[in-house]
Amino acid sequence: MKDISVQELSDRVYRIRHRMEQAAKEAGRDVAAIALCAACKAQPSELVRQSASLAIDLFGENRMQEMREHQLAGAYLGKPCHFIGHLQTNKVRQVVGAADVIQSVDRVRLLNAIQKEAARQSLVQDILIEVNLAQEDSKAGVHQQELKPLMEAAAACPNIRVLGLMAIPPITDTEDQARHYFVKLRTLLEQAQTWQFENALLTELSMGMTGSYEAAIKEGATIIRVGREIYGERS
Ligand SMILES: *Cc1c(COP(=O)(O)O)cnc(C)c1O
């Protein structure tokens, strides 16, 4: 991996902010309602700390071990941290309470483990439900028809609050193709809002990454997760 200067890092974040603003403007949205989540997997704590002083709203971690390293190093400079990677049930203990939001909840067993640990720590854990929009076998996330049963299960968990939905759609060639999936997730959120479950705020849509976040913003994303455009290609 090439070293990035602080200036280069700062320029990149500035450019992303500019694109966010343009996309929001085109959609008639307030850019302040959209959070930039830096997906910092495989980045050293020092680089994460440098990026934390820039216009990044929060950090997204894929691995419990890296999240812990960055937290111990104080690399987020007090900014929030979301867990966005696949979460194994046996790692729940270290993630509940340490992550402000767990974005990748996709099964009842995981919900129950989070509920148990959150109750033990006497806190309410905010989560997003991850949806597998294209029903890809290789990917995590609930299929659309499993969303309602999973939300029903979440409603029975007093120490869990569902903030919204998250998706990692298939890589597409065109913006139109990407938009199709973002529309799908937004429609699903709107549908879920009509179910009126307990403990469900359903205000957040986490979607859009490097190459697709402008389309996601146009379709209502409230959190975009950007890695490579900030930190460069991962080795
Ligand atoms: C790595 C990652 C991202 C960011 O992807 P880039 O292509 O690097 O912008 C977003 N979401 C999740 C869940 C990731 O693992």
Side-chain angles (χ1 to χ4, degrees):
M1 205 169 355
K2 265 201 343 232
D3 275 353
I4 315 166
S5 70
V6 178
Q7 186 57 51
E8 173 64 19
L9 204 56
S10 160
D11 288 348
R12 286 177 184 177
V13 173
Y14 184 83
R15 277 198 301 270
I16 294 169
R17 281 282 163 192
H18 182 70
R19 289 190 183 136
M20 287 172 69
E21 236 162 76
Q22 289 302 113
K25 205 158 135 194
E26 266 182 58
R29 299 185 57 201
D30 180 1
V31 72
I34 304 155
L36 173 58
C37 166
C40 59
K41 57 175 163 277
Q43 306 302 339
S45 292
E46 192 45 41
L47 187 60
V48 173
R49 189 203 320 274
Q50 283 167 0
S51 66
S53 67
L54 303 169
I56 283 166
D57 299 298
L58 59 106
F59 288 89
E61 294 283 5
N62 289 70
R63 290 172 176 278
M64 183 273 294
Q65 195 55 43
E66 282 183 35
M67 178 173 80
R68 173 179 276 176
E69 257 175 58
H70 294 157
Q71 278 176 335
L72 284 175
Y76 306 137
L77 303 180
K79 288 183 175 177
C81 168
H82 291 193
F83 195 84
I84 62 174
H86 180 69
L87 182 54
Q88 288 167 288
T89 312
N90 64 356
K91 300 277 166 61
V92 159
R93 228 188 166 137
Q94 290 101 312
V95 173
V96 167
D100 295 277
V101 179
I102 302 173
Q103 292 201 6
S104 45
V105 178
D106 64 354
R107 53 201 191 277
V108 173
R109 220 166 83 83
L110 183 57
L111 261 185
N112 290 339
I114 293 170
Q115 164 57 32
K116 199 169 156 200
E117 180 58 23
R120 199 186 66 84
Q121 295 183 32
S122 305
L123 54 81
V124 174
Q125 179 66 56
D126 284 331
I127 68 161
L128 302 184
I129 292 177
E130 179 174 354
V131 184
N132 186 344
L133 290 171
Q135 319 218 334
E136 296 170 280
D137 289 338
S138 61
K139 278 198 188 147
V142 289
H143 291 186
Q144 287 174 60
Q145 63 273 20
E146 300 162 25
L147 178 62
K148 197 169 184 180
L150 190 62
M151 286 201 48
E152 214 159 10
C157 297
N159 297 75
I160 290 179
R161 189 167 62 163
V162 184
L163 299 189
L165 304 180
M166 181 271 241
I168 312 171
I171 296 162
T172 49
D173 294 329
T174 67
E175 177 159 337
D176 264 2
Q177 287 168 330
R179 255 178 114 149
H180 160 81
Y181 289 110
F182 298 144
V183 170
K184 223 166 157 177
L185 194 68
R186 172 169 44 81
T187 308
L188 216 47
L189 184 79
E190 287 163 359
Q191 200 177 11
Q193 285 163 347
T194 68
W195 298 335
Q196 306 197 323
F197 282 123
E198 295 279 324
N199 318 327
L201 277 183
L202 300 181
T203 50
E204 303 300 321
L205 269 180
S206 174
M207 59 187 192
M209 331 201 299
T210 299
S212 67
Y213 63 80
E214 286 155 296
I217 287 171
K218 289 174 195 163
E219 294 306 335
T222 61
I223 303 171
I224 58 169
R225 309 178 309 267
V226 182
R228 288 169 300 150
E229 198 174 334
I230 298 171
Y231 301 109
E233 292 293 329
R234 290 176 288 273
S235 46

